[in-house]
Amino acid sequence: MTEPELNIDDDSSGRDEEDAMLKAGYAGILHQRYPFHPTDTASFNDENSYVLSLEKEYLDIPPNLEFGRLFNSIPEEHRSRLKDIWKLVENNYFEYLEICEDLEQKWTTGVPIDQLGEFSERIVKDSKIMMIPELKNGVRAIVEKSSEKRELRTWKREEKALRKSLYDVTKKYIVSLRLYYEMLLESNPEKRGEDKENEDYVLPKDHQDRDEIVERNRYLRYIDAAHQGIAIGKAAHHGQEKGRMRKTEKLPYIIHGMDVSHATSLDVLPYTLDRGMANLAVIIALVGPIHDVIEDTDLKMEDLFGSQGYLKRLTDAYDSSLDPKIKSGFPTPDTTRDKIKEKVLNLLKPDVFKIVQEVLRLVSHNSQWTDQEKAKAVQQSIPGKETTMKILGITPEKYKGWKADKPDRSNNTFFEFPEETEEKENKSTAFLMRINAMHGVESRQVALIIKLEDRANNILSLDKMKPEKQRSMLRSTTSRVIAWAMLDHDNKNYPLYNALPRCIDTTLKGYEKFMASNPEAITDLDRRYIAELEQWQIDVKRFVVPSKIIAVLKRNRELKSKESQAA
């Protein structure tokens, strides 16, 4: 997925300013990525600083893993093949660095400053996106009207071509580096596990660098998936008819998807990826940025997941230079080029593809229910008969025909909180009906994590909503989403990691701010919910944040404080 086509018409009166604001936002997002983001500048937020730290650490290649350093440890019969792959990695890496340098030069010393006017100055000033000071003139050049400015038009064409090249070569570089790591880790499948002393490995099983290669490969898979998810989400939301910018802020809608994705990554990856749960990292990296795509854009499930769907076609796209290098050191029918792609290179393996598809269905309010799912939802009737019929859009006759002899009494949420929410279309209740009636436990786990992160992020901008909307959001989040996560979800076997405490903490803070600004709107019901949140804040399991990550977050906060004092 390349940069979305914007095609601003300088003579238009309706959308040129919105398009310019979107362009400024997209540029700001790119400037927050490695290697453009300066090490002495704060990031958007803690979550983005964490993901940025992963890019800084894992997109570079440490000296000890270069082919020359590993040469003597690699059996002679594998050296030529690994050397060819390494040459491709080096070429892609240098091309990646060159394009980054060319782009940075374009945004700084290469800007035709004399052709920038009041329009771009105002857009940059009004934009809510955090911008790197040294790159602001580049942002101005991107958004400036240019119909009569030839030099600026040329600059824009060249800058846009470089951005497209950056997307392509970054993908190419990451996949080639992943292939290099995979081939270093390869072992003979015919001897694997049978005779431990005679097992064949490319890099010896006891080599001191194997664990590091495994770790770096897992994080590269996550980074690759995150880049694809954001690119798809950005293009999809840019193309929607309304709401390309978030309702409560002058920011591209994809910022919300990115925030949800990055928060999920911070709250989940440290406790899963190092334990080998690489597929979960790919799933959250892809779902986070696109979780609103089905509800808010013209894209349908078929557009993403059909035989010609965007997701698979873009996520597992390979440059033609890679194919000749995909050769196993242990040729068997199970180690052909296609098998290697399927087993180790593809991000969307069949089981991952299935879970991503199911999770997106679960979190999309407008996705269709099958009759089988409706029947199961009726048999459970967790919110009661009337609400169940209303949400499913079925008649009493249909309800009676599907109804089991005894209703499902296995949930606690609707017994503890039987009151109706003020929420439009009962979205939270419908979501709980969906996760209770549909799909496997892994899909429900991820869907609930994404919903918790989504609600927490929405509550951060609560004060930009009308008071009645604020209260509705706080009530439904407490009595439905958080309540289900605390009272009905199997947290022991399918933990929600730090997504649950984040949502509890954020909702309680949201309630405190709402109570301070709208004391007359607080009722006994709200006071009860606040008390529940305070108790859950004590009871919820919190996963200990690794000291390495604490240092990253602390550094970002210190930079933010320093920049705030200097402003």
Side-chain angles (χ1 to χ4, degrees):
M1 180 77 59
T2 59
E3 293 288 318
E5 295 291 338
L6 301 178
N7 296 325
I8 296 176
D9 179 356
D10 288 340
D11 297 324
S12 66
S13 59
R15 287 165 65 93
D16 57 340
E17 187 155 333
E18 181 183 73
D19 282 330
M21 197 67 76
L22 284 166
K23 277 190 168 186
Y26 297 146
I29 291 170
L30 183 55
H31 296 168
Q32 288 283 325
R33 301 269 56 83
Y34 180 74
F36 303 116
H37 188 270
T39 55
D40 59 349
T41 304
S43 188
F44 284 151
N45 49 40
D46 285 354
E47 296 76 20
N48 191 70
S49 69
Y50 167 66
V51 175
L52 180 61
S53 74
L54 297 182
E55 290 181 326
K56 287 178 179 178
E57 183 169 1
Y58 295 106
L59 284 178
D60 282 338
I61 308 167
N64 60 303
L65 298 187
E66 294 176 0
F67 176 74
R69 294 282 289 271
L70 296 174
F71 179 84
N72 291 329
S73 299
I74 298 172
E76 187 173 355
E77 63 269 24
H78 297 299
R79 289 174 183 170
S80 176
R81 182 175 54 88
L82 265 295
K83 183 179 180 181
D84 285 345
I85 297 173
W86 174 249
K87 284 181 178 179
L88 180 64
V89 171
E90 276 193 316
N91 289 340
N92 290 340
Y93 181 60
F94 291 137
E95 185 181 1
Y96 163 72
L97 291 181
E98 286 171 4
I99 290 175
C100 289
E101 289 171 4
D102 289 347
L103 253 178
E104 193 156 8
Q105 188 275 333
K106 205 75 179 168
W107 293 330
T108 53
T109 59
V111 177
I113 297 176
D114 61 323
Q115 297 198 356
L116 304 181
E118 293 180 0
F119 177 77
S120 62
E121 185 177 10
R122 178 168 54 81
I123 292 295
V124 169
K125 182 179 179 181
D126 291 347
S127 175
K128 303 299 182 184
I129 199 83
M130 179 183 285
M131 294 187 190
I132 309 300
E134 296 81 3
L135 303 180
K136 279 190 177 181
N137 281 338
V139 180
R140 287 187 62 192
I142 289 170
V143 306
E144 184 62 72
K145 300 180 181 183
S146 58
S147 60
E148 298 178 359
K149 302 171 182 177
R150 182 172 180 177
E151 186 181 354
L152 185 55
R153 289 202 308 272
T154 300
W155 184 94
K156 287 190 173 190
R157 283 196 302 271
E158 293 172 351
E159 191 271 345
K160 184 175 181 179
L162 282 171
R163 270 189 285 118
K164 183 185 185 305
S165 296
L166 176 64
Y167 174 88
D168 294 338
V169 78
T170 303
K171 173 70 173 175
K172 187 168 64 171
Y173 164 56
I174 290 176
V175 176
S176 65
L177 182 54
R178 286 176 48 218
L179 176 65
Y180 173 65
Y181 288 155
E182 290 287 358
M183 293 298 97
L184 283 171
L185 296 169
E186 191 182 23
S187 62
N188 189 338
E190 294 185 345
K191 293 187 177 182
R192 197 178 298 153
E194 294 180 3
D195 183 353
K196 296 294 184 182
E197 293 185 3
N198 294 313
E199 282 182 325
D200 286 345
Y201 287 85
V202 172
L203 196 66
K205 186 178 181 180
D206 58 355
H207 194 279
Q208 61 184 9
D209 293 322
R210 279 189 73 92
D211 287 346
E212 182 181 358
I213 294 171
V214 170
E215 175 192 312
R216 298 187 78 86
N217 196 32
R218 287 173 181 164
Y219 278 95
L220 272 180
R221 286 177 63 83
Y222 161 76
I223 292 169
D224 192 0
H227 286 182
Q228 304 313 307
I230 290 171
I232 293 169
K234 181 173 70 172
H237 284 297
H238 182 80
Q240 66 194 48
E241 186 175 344
K242 294 181 180 179
R244 296 189 299 164
M245 302 189 73
R246 205 168 180 202
K247 297 174 184 177
T248 55
E249 300 156 306
K250 289 185 177 180
L251 291 172
Y253 197 91
I254 187 57
I255 293 284
H256 170 63
M258 279 180 53
D259 284 348
V260 169
S261 179
H262 291 168
T264 307
S265 301
L266 175 59
D267 290 341
V268 176
L269 292 192
Y271 321 105
T272 57
L273 201 47
D274 291 339
R275 291 169 50 202
M277 300 168 70
N279 284 348
L280 179 59
V282 170
I283 292 164
I284 63 176
L286 288 171
V287 173
I290 66 172
H291 73 273
D292 281 332
V293 160
I294 301 302
E295 279 195 30
D296 294 341
T297 78
D298 291 334
L299 287 181
K300 297 179 173 58
M301 294 292 289
E302 181 67 20
D303 297 320
L304 288 174
F305 299 100
S307 58
Q308 297 298 314
Y310 293 118
L311 204 63
K312 180 69 175 173
R313 182 157 49 88
L314 295 168
T315 301
D316 288 329
Y318 299 104
D319 184 79
S320 58
S321 64
L322 192 71
D323 270 10
K325 311 298 181 186
I326 304 177
K327 298 176 185 176
S328 172
F330 309 99
T332 72
D334 287 329
T335 59
T336 63
R337 179 181 300 161
D338 287 343
K339 290 289 186 181
I340 291 173
K341 283 184 179 180
E342 179 184 318
K343 291 180 178 179
V344 300
L345 287 183
N346 284 355
L347 297 172
L348 278 172
K349 299 175 183 179
D351 53 340
V352 173
F353 183 89
K354 180 183 177 183
I355 293 176
V356 171
Q357 186 176 23
E358 289 180 346
V359 171
L360 206 58
R361 278 199 70 209
L362 284 168
V363 299
S364 301
H365 183 65
N366 59 341
S367 59
Q368 298 299 308
W369 296 68
T370 66
D371 281 350
Q372 183 179 3
E373 291 163 349
K374 286 182 178 181
K376 188 171 182 181
V378 165
Q379 290 163 9
Q380 295 167 338
S381 289
I382 58 173
K385 176 180 176 180
E386 296 301 323
T387 303
T388 298
M389 288 195 299
K390 181 179 178 182
I391 288 173
L392 295 179
I394 60 174
T395 63
E397 290 74 25
K398 194 76 170 179
Y399 181 91
K400 186 177 180 181
W402 276 333
K403 191 72 181 113
D405 293 335
K406 292 182 179 180
D408 182 356
R409 297 294 181 187
S410 62
N411 83 87
N412 297 301
T413 298
F414 291 92
F415 291 101
E416 292 290 331
F417 303 96
E419 56 277 353
E420 286 284 323
T421 67
E422 301 170 319
E423 194 176 34
K424 183 181 179 182
E425 298 179 311
N426 285 313
K427 284 189 175 183
S428 296
T429 299
F431 169 71
L432 297 182
M433 286 173 58
R434 284 176 182 276
I435 65 171
N436 208 43
M438 297 186 202
H439 311 301
V441 286
E442 294 90 350
S443 299
R444 289 184 292 195
Q445 175 193 26
V446 177
L448 193 48
I449 288 172
I450 294 295
K451 180 62 73 173
L452 288 162
E453 300 284 9
D454 178 45
R455 283 304 179 96
N457 187 256
N458 284 329
I459 288 171
L460 289 177
S461 54
L462 205 63
D463 56 357
K464 297 179 177 64
M465 304 176 190
K466 294 179 179 179
E468 58 269 25
K469 173 69 173 175
Q470 294 183 44
R471 189 173 69 175
S472 171
M473 173 78 72
L474 291 166
R475 286 180 172 181
S476 62
T477 301
T478 303
S479 67
R480 293 295 178 260
V481 183
I482 295 176
W484 188 275
M486 289 295 296
L487 303 177
D488 288 299
H489 179 72
D490 181 2
N491 280 289
K492 181 179 179 181
N493 294 308
Y494 300 96
L496 302 172
Y497 304 101
N498 282 340
L500 179 51
R502 175 193 292 273
C503 195
I504 293 172
D505 295 344
T506 306
T507 305
L508 187 54
K509 287 179 183 177
Y511 246 129
E512 290 167 354
K513 286 180 67 176
F514 179 73
M515 192 161 45
S517 57
N518 301 276
E520 73 288 347
I522 295 293
T523 68
D524 287 342
L525 182 63
D526 298 298
R527 282 184 274 274
R528 180 200 165 196
Y529 287 174
I530 291 168
E532 293 284 3
L533 287 167
E534 289 171 341
Q535 185 60 49
W536 287 334
Q537 203 173 39
I538 297 169
D539 296 341
V540 70
K541 178 178 179 180
R542 295 175 186 269
F543 288 73
V544 179
V545 181
S547 57
K548 181 178 178 180
I549 297 175
I550 290 175
V552 169
L553 307 185
K554 181 181 177 183
R555 168 67 173 162
N556 192 61
R557 291 167 192 169
E558 290 172 347
L559 288 171
K560 266 194 164 184
S561 176
K562 184 178 178 181
E563 290 171 10
S564 177
Q565 292 171 9

